Amino acid sequence: MKKALIFLSLVIISSLSFSEGTNLENISQNTVVATETETKPQKMILDVKSVYDSLNIKGKLDYFIFQKAYLGYVQISNKNPGVLVIIDYSKPSNEERFYVLDLNKKQLVYSTRVAHSKNSGLEIPLEFSDDPNSYQSSLGFFLTLGEYNGAYGYSLRLKGLEENINANAESRAIVIHGGDIVNDEYIKKFGFAGRSLGCPVLPTALTKEIVNYIKQGRVLFINGNDEEYIEESVYLSKLAPIFEGKPQDIVELEKPRETLKVVATTSTASTTSLASTSPVITNTTAVQNPNQKNISIMLDVIKQEAEYKQYSSLRKKENYIDYLAIIKSIIVDKSNLTTTKHNGETSIVSNLDSAKENKEEKTLEKIETTSENKNQNIEEIKKDVTKQEEVKKEEIKTEEIKKEEPKKDEVKKTNRKYSEEVVRKSLGLGVKLK
């Protein structure tokens, strides 16, 4: 087989390289390999009753509800298989209506109470909605996502899988979390569980354990007293006749199965040269086996060699544009620009340094001048002070002189005073005349 393949490839190469008037450089071949997905219905026969019996849940969970949950579970392709969670809102809130079923181990792992939304009903929810701010519970199939610690403690995000039924679960922040409204004390006090804003609420003591068991892609089915749900359900609407009358034990189900189909086609469109008179070679055969695929790869190699020859021949022509030279010149220009930019930056830095030095010198001169001026002012002030002191001294002297002058006058005046006898004698009083 290998010899035949090698011989066939050599024949093709020789025929392409030595054919008269044919220009190998103009051969263009396109090999298209595509994958298409086909959805084909796959018939499945499910013995639902045997699965139900293997779980030993008779008396806890009704078979009719389990049948709906299991038939939807089988159709969901992107699930994390092995665990099925069911909430039965057709029961009152003071009873156990939250079930975790391990289908691989064939056992009921958890069975506990769960609360519903406040606008759906008091003890048994009767109204359901997916509208934001409706504060009602939603029915249908969900996938569990990741866990987180929120306002209500350890919680589990949910993704609704059915449009117009529960698809707004994430935007409505519908999650599974714990709460005291389903604990034994609350039930004993009020007779029924409390109600939430739309989330299924589990007992606080069991929340973390259950969340860790059912997180990351497990299927959750919420059942309720709503006759229109089956008709609108993505997974159960086609099975509506099964749920009429007595439940069936064995169900035949058509599950859509996606298959990948690989389509590989090779088309060769060739053009002849101006001097060629040979006919155009066309090939529209599909690659059906590995031998033909290898031939197409060989043709691709020949095409690449022809393109290289065409490229080398074009380089020899005068009108050839040397893009490598252009790129090199651009790189050189960029390097020159960087050097000039660097030189400009260095000159700018030097100018800035000189400017800084000049500023510093000017500031020093200003400081010196201001210091000299201060010294001169101090000397002038000292001179003024001395002058003022001298003036004050002179004033004091003049005042003292003025004070001494009246004393002299007084002395003179006192010196002019004479005794009465002398006055009398001078006036001739008391002298007897002869």
Side-chain angles (χ1 to χ4, degrees):
M1 188 67 184
K2 291 181 179 179
K3 291 180 179 180
L5 179 60
I6 295 167
F7 177 74
L8 184 60
S9 60
L10 290 172
V11 170
I12 292 169
I13 293 167
S14 61
S15 63
L16 290 172
S17 58
F18 294 105
S19 59
E20 292 182 351
T22 304
N23 189 1
L24 288 175
E25 296 172 0
N26 293 328
I27 295 175
S28 63
Q29 180 178 348
N30 295 320
T31 302
V32 179
V33 178
T35 58
E36 295 179 356
T37 57
E38 290 184 350
T39 55
K40 293 181 179 181
Q42 180 185 8
K43 288 186 179 182
M44 300 174 63
I45 298 174
L46 302 173
D47 191 352
V48 183
K49 188 65 166 60
S50 64
V51 178
Y52 175 79
D53 293 335
S54 67
L55 293 166
N56 296 318
I57 53 176
K58 189 176 181 181
K60 286 184 172 291
L61 180 62
D62 188 67
Y63 172 70
F64 179 70
I65 297 165
F66 175 80
Q67 185 185 45
K68 289 190 288 185
Y70 187 74
L71 291 176
Y73 165 86
V74 172
Q75 297 179 66
I76 297 170
S77 58
N78 57 341
K79 63 179 177 291
N80 185 4
V83 175
L84 175 59
V85 185
I86 300 174
I87 296 176
D88 184 11
Y89 278 151
S90 62
K91 288 184 176 182
S93 61
N94 58 1
E95 295 182 10
E96 294 182 354
R97 51 182 186 172
F98 184 94
Y99 309 97
V100 178
L101 307 173
D102 194 321
L103 301 178
N104 293 329
K105 296 179 181 179
K106 297 181 181 180
Q107 64 178 3
L108 175 63
V109 184
Y110 296 100
S111 176
T112 185
R113 286 189 289 265
V114 61
H116 57 264
S117 183
K118 66 176 185 177
N119 287 345
S120 291
L122 186 59
E123 294 186 33
I124 299 175
L126 300 174
E127 295 182 2
F128 305 93
S129 175
D130 191 36
D131 295 334
N133 300 321
S134 64
Y135 301 117
Q136 292 183 0
S137 299
S138 299
L139 301 178
F141 289 93
F142 300 78
L143 279 180
T144 61
L145 301 177
E147 76 282 5
Y148 71 101
N149 281 304
Y152 298 99
Y154 203 68
S155 306
L156 179 64
R157 294 185 178 90
L158 299 175
K159 179 182 180 180
L161 302 179
E162 298 186 89
E163 196 68 30
N164 300 323
I165 297 175
N166 57 24
N168 292 327
E170 289 183 271
S171 60
R172 291 178 63 196
I174 302 299
V175 299
I176 295 175
H177 62 81
D180 297 333
I181 58 175
V182 287
N183 289 344
D184 294 335
E185 293 80 8
Y186 193 98
I187 301 296
K188 288 177 182 178
K189 185 176 181 179
F190 298 100
F192 53 86
R195 292 167 297 166
S196 68
L197 300 178
C199 300
V201 181
L202 299 175
T204 308
L206 294 173
T207 301
K208 188 171 185 179
E209 187 178 346
I210 293 174
V211 166
N212 288 333
Y213 198 90
I214 66 172
K215 64 183 180 181
Q216 302 298 341
R218 304 299 189 180
V219 175
L220 166 66
F221 174 67
I222 299 179
N223 177 70
N225 292 319
D226 189 352
E227 296 178 355
E228 296 179 355
Y229 166 70
I230 293 177
E231 296 178 357
E232 298 174 356
S233 175
V234 176
Y235 302 101
L236 303 181
S237 58
K238 294 180 181 180
L239 305 174
I242 296 173
F243 306 112
E244 295 177 359
K246 186 179 179 180
Q248 299 180 15
D249 296 341
I250 298 173
V251 178
E252 185 177 347
L253 177 68
E254 285 188 358
K255 180 183 175 183
R257 184 181 179 184
E258 293 183 354
T259 57
L260 291 175
K261 183 181 179 182
V262 179
V263 179
T265 58
T266 305
S267 61
T268 306
S270 62
T271 58
T272 57
S273 61
L274 294 174
S276 174
T277 58
S278 61
V280 177
I281 301 171
T282 60
N283 182 14
T284 58
T285 59
V287 178
Q288 297 177 354
N289 53 52
N291 294 333
Q292 291 184 354
K293 189 174 181 180
N294 292 328
I295 293 167
S296 66
I297 293 169
M298 293 293 293
L299 292 173
D300 285 334
V301 173
I302 294 167
K303 176 195 167 186
Q304 290 176 2
E305 291 178 354
E307 288 178 353
Y308 178 75
K309 288 179 183 178
Q310 186 179 6
Y311 175 72
S312 60
S313 63
L314 285 170
R315 287 179 65 89
K316 295 176 181 178
K317 293 182 181 179
E318 294 180 356
N319 59 355
Y320 171 68
I321 299 171
D322 194 354
Y323 292 101
L324 294 173
I326 294 168
I327 292 167
K328 286 181 181 178
S329 63
I330 291 167
I331 292 167
V332 171
D333 292 336
K334 283 186 178 180
S335 63
N336 292 328
L337 285 172
T338 53
T339 53
T340 54
K341 191 182 284 185
H342 181 70
N343 293 326
E345 287 177 354
T346 52
S347 63
I348 289 165
V349 171
S350 62
N351 291 328
L352 289 171
D353 293 334
S354 62
K356 283 183 181 178
E357 290 176 357
N358 292 326
K359 284 183 179 179
E360 289 177 355
E361 290 176 356
K362 287 181 180 179
T363 51
L364 289 171
E365 288 177 357
K366 284 181 180 180
I367 291 165
E368 290 175 355
T369 53
T370 52
S371 62
E372 289 176 357
N373 292 328
K374 283 182 180 179
N375 292 326
Q376 290 177 359
N377 291 328
I378 289 165
E379 290 177 355
E380 289 178 356
I381 288 165
K382 285 182 179 179
K383 288 179 181 180
D384 292 336
V385 170
T386 51
K387 284 181 182 180
Q388 287 178 0
E389 288 179 352
E390 290 176 355
V391 170
K392 283 183 179 180
K393 286 180 180 179
E394 289 178 356
E395 287 178 353
I396 291 165
K397 286 181 180 179
T398 52
E399 286 178 355
E400 289 178 353
I401 292 165
K402 285 180 181 180
K403 287 180 180 179
E404 289 176 354
E405 285 179 354
K407 287 181 179 180
K408 289 180 180 181
D409 293 336
E410 288 178 357
V411 170
K412 287 179 180 180
K413 287 179 180 179
T414 54
N415 291 329
R416 285 177 183 177
K417 287 183 180 181
Y418 299 102
S419 62
E420 290 182 358
E421 292 179 356
V422 175
V423 171
R424 284 179 179 276
K425 285 181 180 181
S426 63
L427 291 172
L429 296 172
V431 179
K432 293 181 179 183
L433 293 174
K434 293 180 177 181

